[in-house]
């Protein structure tokens, strides 16, 4: 019973933190705002998360796990390896179309705190490394040259930032078109080399 209550309270705090940190920025949100949004008394909040830093780290780690899981679930629903690579950009389009889209939470948090918080910098780097490895696995499954990964990553990352700034999901479609061109060129290179 106590474990379930703790988990439920922790989730309420993390839900409130995610909405506020992602929506308004980490530095502009104090623990009082988290308390109010979560409905958890400040004393209890600090028992679960002894500092704002520990709450920020938990928020980012949970966001990382959910983001990568949601992406993989969407991409895995596609049949061919090439379709799975292009589906990454379709998934980004869906994400960019959400009304509360404010860009990549990891880029945002790194921009705010990366110079002063090694933990935030490390979590952001780990997230980006995991995304790169995910794309590398998709590229390998498509029998495309490994260098294609290094071309696709900046397309996706640039689309995230451009969509946030422009307020439009269209950068995902432009990045998908560029990815399709790179895939064709990569496969043509493989055929020519054979």
């Amino acid at each position: 019973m106590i474990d379930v209550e703790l988990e439920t309270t922790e989730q309420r705090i993390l839900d409130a933190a995610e909405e506020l940190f992602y929506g308004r920025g980490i530095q502009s949100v104090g623990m009082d705002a988290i308390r109010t949004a979560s409905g958890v008394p400040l004393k209890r909040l600090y028992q679960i998360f002894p500092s704002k830093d520990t709450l920020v780290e938990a928020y980012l780690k949970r966001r990382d796990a959910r983001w990568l899981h949601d992406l993989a679930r969407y991409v895995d629903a596609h049949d061919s390896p090439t379709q799975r690579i292009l589906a990454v950009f379709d998934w980004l389009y869906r994400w960019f179309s959400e009304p509360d889209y404010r860009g990549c939470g990891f880029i945002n948090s790194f921009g705010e705190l990366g110079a002063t918080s090694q933990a935030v910098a490390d979590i952001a780097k780990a997230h980006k490394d995991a995304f790169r490895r995910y794309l590398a696995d998709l590229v390998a499954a498509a029998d495309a040259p490994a260098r294609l990964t290094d071309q696709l990553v900046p397309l996706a990352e640039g689309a995230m930032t451009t969509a946030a700034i422009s307020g439009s999901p269209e950068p995902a479609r432009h990045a998908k078109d560029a990815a399709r061109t790179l895939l064709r060129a990569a496969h043509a290179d493989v055929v020519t080399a054979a």
Side-chain angles (χ1 to χ4, degrees):
M1 171 90 168
I2 293 173
D3 288 342
V4 172
E5 180 187 330
L6 174 63
E7 187 176 314
T8 301
T9 303
E10 184 177 306
Q11 293 308 311
R12 282 183 21 220
I13 294 167
L14 285 169
D15 289 345
E18 181 158 8
E19 183 177 335
L20 293 170
F21 289 158
Y22 184 71
R24 295 182 6 203
I26 294 169
Q27 292 180 337
S28 69
V29 175
M31 293 298 267
D32 284 336
I34 303 292
R35 177 203 63 209
T36 301
S38 68
V40 175
L42 202 55
K43 182 178 178 182
R44 183 71 176 133
L45 195 156
Y46 277 112
Q47 287 172 340
I48 297 171
F49 296 103
S51 68
K52 184 177 175 183
D53 290 344
T54 59
L55 179 56
V56 168
E57 291 169 30
Y59 145 69
L60 289 171
K61 288 176 182 176
R62 183 177 84 154
R63 187 174 182 89
D64 170 65
R66 187 182 62 245
W67 193 92
L68 293 169
H69 175 265
D70 291 350
L71 171 63
R73 187 177 62 216
Y74 181 86
V75 169
D76 288 349
H78 294 78
D79 293 330
S80 79
T82 299
Q83 286 176 336
R84 284 195 278 283
I85 291 171
L86 296 174
V88 168
F89 297 94
D90 294 333
W91 184 83
L92 290 175
Y93 184 88
R94 288 178 49 182
W95 179 35
F96 300 168
S97 298
E98 293 175 5
D100 65 345
Y101 179 73
R102 284 194 67 258
C104 173
F106 299 92
I107 293 171
N108 296 348
S109 65
F110 183 83
E112 277 192 82
L113 300 171
T116 59
S117 170
Q118 189 60 50
V120 168
D122 290 345
I123 293 168
K125 183 179 183 326
H127 173 77
K128 295 305 181 180
D129 288 346
F131 179 54
R132 186 191 185 291
R133 283 190 308 275
Y134 180 73
L135 284 176
D137 290 345
L138 294 176
V139 166
D143 292 325
R147 65 180 157 73
L148 181 61
T149 301
D150 294 325
Q151 297 167 340
L152 295 174
V153 169
L155 285 176
E157 295 293 345
M160 289 177 208
T161 302
T162 305
I165 293 169
S166 69
S168 168
E170 290 304 311
R173 288 198 172 137
H174 302 307
K176 181 181 178 180
D177 290 343
R180 186 179 290 114
T181 300
L182 289 169
L183 277 162
R184 281 190 204 120
H187 284 299
D189 288 349
V190 170
V191 171
T192 304

